Amino acid sequence: MAQAVTGHDKHGHGGHGHHDEHHEHEHESLKTFGFWMFLITDIILFGTLFATFIVLRFSTDGGPTAAEMFKMPGVIAETFILLTSSFTSGIAVLQMHRGNKKGLIGWLAVTAVLGLAFIYLEVSEFIELVHEGVTIGTSAYWSAFFTLVGTHGLHVSVGIVWMTALIIQLARRGITPVTQRKVNIISLYWHFLDVVWIFVLTIVYLMGVM
Amino acid sequence: MFQNLIDFLLNDFFITGDPLILGAQVSIGLSMVAVVFALTYFKKWRWLWTEWLTTVDHKRIGIMYIIASILMLFRGGVDALLMRVQLAVPQVEFLHADHYNAIFTTHGVIMILFMAMPLMFGLFNIVVPLQIGARDVAYPFLNSLSFWMFFFGAMLFNVSFVIGGSPDAGWLAYPPLSELSGSPGLGQDFYIWGIQISGIGSLATGINFVVTILKMRAPGMKLMKMPMFVWSVLSSCITIMFAFPILTVTLFLLFIDRYFGAHFFTLDGGGNPMMYINLIWMWGHPEVYIVILPAFGIFSEIVSAFSKKKLFGYKSMVFALMSISFFSFFTWAHHFFTMGSGANVNAFFAVTTMLIAIPTGVKVFNWLFTMFRGKLTFPTPMLWTIAFIPCFVVGGMTGVMLSVAPADFQFHNSYFLIAHFHQVLIGGVVFGYFAGLYYWWPKMFGFKLHEGLGKWAFWLWNIGFYVCFMPQYALGLMGMTRRFNEYNFDMGWQPLNVVSTVGAFIMGLAFLFQVWQIAHSIKFYKKEPTGDSWDGRTLEWSIPSPAPLYNFARVPVVDSEDAWWEEKQRLANGGKPKPLAPLEPIHMPKNSAIPFLISVSFFVMGFGFVWDWKWMIIPGAIGVAICMLARSFSYDTDYYIPVDEIERTEAALGGTK
């Protein structure tokens, strides 16, 4: 075994160029797999926050309740914006598979701008709540609300910075196996945040105003 | 201004007024000066930076983990001895109550999170890639980041005892005591940030090794042909992936309570302290399985190697490991049967807890049957394994006693519990990692540790262990509860406490023997003639010790469990050596300073949050962001080792021709 014929490199023993390509593919798929593993841990993270929110959903300590404070139009707008951004990130990936660098960058930019719009609405919602006297320290319910929704918002914000960095890399380097993997990963991340938002919308907002 | 600064340093920043802590401060200061002086005098700064601080080599990262964990074992051990001195002579106020609280808190945190975890990660790093025939882990950069996050997290936690104040709300920091209302000092903030930073590192290690094991095995090594240690690492890392995010969130929520005045776990504002206790044990109980599962893997390797037999019941062992990591998530409430969740809830958690005893029992029988009719030899790794079995069986049985919910109302928070978990954690985890350390030491460094001194250490550890903890079972039944620094003479607890303290000091002596053993073995360095120190069975023994940078000059092809052993048997029976494939350039990751710098930035940010110094938080956070972006923008991250260099290295090692 130890010293046996490897049979590892099916591409034969060609020059470096050959090796590079082979290893790069192996390398990139390894990273994508790792990102799926990371998403599992992120699901547990959000799961814990949701569980906490659900446990504390009636703990308003006699203070304002969700039904009194929530303004649904803004939330519905946020939802549509984020769902649309998920769709545009999907188009970006399709453009990438066509080898259309311009289209890829353009649609990623649209996605990032929609993400920014989402964050803008969310931050305005938070500011409005604070102006009306509801803060993270008002009661356990609001602590859980701001933390859960805020953690999702933080994820989206990180995604926007990341996407911007990726747009710059794409502009400089074009579509290579490495940038391709990076685009795939961020679109995975973006769809994931969209799914989490569906749960936020349902459990926090819709069940809150029910 | 200057006077203000001095006042601040003496009154708030440094802990002053305690001779024990003053001694520690002086010795920390002196040893830092000594290290800096030695590095400068011997001109080793560059060497330290290029060979160690920026390395992405799993073998070196493993060694750094082990060094750090042994230092932490020393500190955690000193904490333990201080507590034992206090309990032997409670009338003398050796440690006053506040100091005692701080010490039992740091003892627990350090031993579990900063001793057991890094020692475990050290062994993962050194052994797993070699056992599966890989050249590194899946993500070498992330691996280095994990180490430095652990290291700086541990430093942030440890610094609290000389700067700002130790945490003192118990190792799991139950609220409301750990909230601002109960712990207004900075200790609890050091606790949160120290564990949070190192916890991110642990989570990353979990992901890294799951992917390494699933994706990086040598051709032919099917899952059911993996060495048992690799299986145990897989089960442990899967458990890490599911448990550690819960810890991250729990500490994050406690931080939000303390820093932003939220009400998750406070008594006012509708908060629910019980929520914290549930969450922390949803991580905490899997955590103890995370550290014990790899020990089971180590014992399996060692039992099989020193019985010269295949491991008995391979499939049942795999099943046992995986079912333990599954069930570990359904037992958490047995830590607080007394909190009034009701009979049905308690019954459920009692039954799940008892269920875990079944796969564990399966393992014990597998080890015994592996030894049965084997050609047994007893070098130190095997001694630790043999000592583990009865110790762990007793510890496990007392665990089953504790799992009986009605009886637990009697045992809860008593020294019976203390004795139980020390018996499974020392008798299981510590013995296991020591066994692993002795077993793989020649693979790490190319020489064996002195057997004679190792036997002294072994016997002293074992005798010390029983002398220390057996009396504590009795003390628990006599009503002695944990976390008190004083008791009255008329309780009748003193004689057994004195015995227990004597046992603790015997273990302290045993540790000194181990230090002596290492120093002695380095001084009388005797190079191992081959890479196969123990006539081993798995792939790590097929390459030279210590392994070259790229581990395997040629990627091995595996066709059986115990692949190296089978190959040796085949050759001994007149089989022909297999033809060698031509060498090929090897693809390797480049060293990187980014993991170190990210972790330093995290340290700065965490330290800033502890003191609520915005001028420190902001640069720290910016540092983290810049490092991450710098990584994203760097494309030149790996290189090839050319064939002639591999040939030279192999020739120098006298390994494969």
Side-chain angles (χ1 to χ4, degrees), chain B residues 37 96 386 396 443 474 551:
Chain B
F37 178 77
H96 54 84
I386 303 262
K443 189 44 66 186
N551 298 348

Side-chain angles (χ1 to χ4, degrees), chain B residues 401-423:
Chain B
M401 289 169 73
L402 282 159
S403 76
V404 180
D408 183 66
F409 278 68
Q410 196 62 38
F411 302 135
H412 188 79
N413 264 358
S414 75
Y415 263 77
F416 190 88
L417 166 80
I418 304 292
H420 157 72
F421 71 70
H422 281 93
Q423 185 152 20

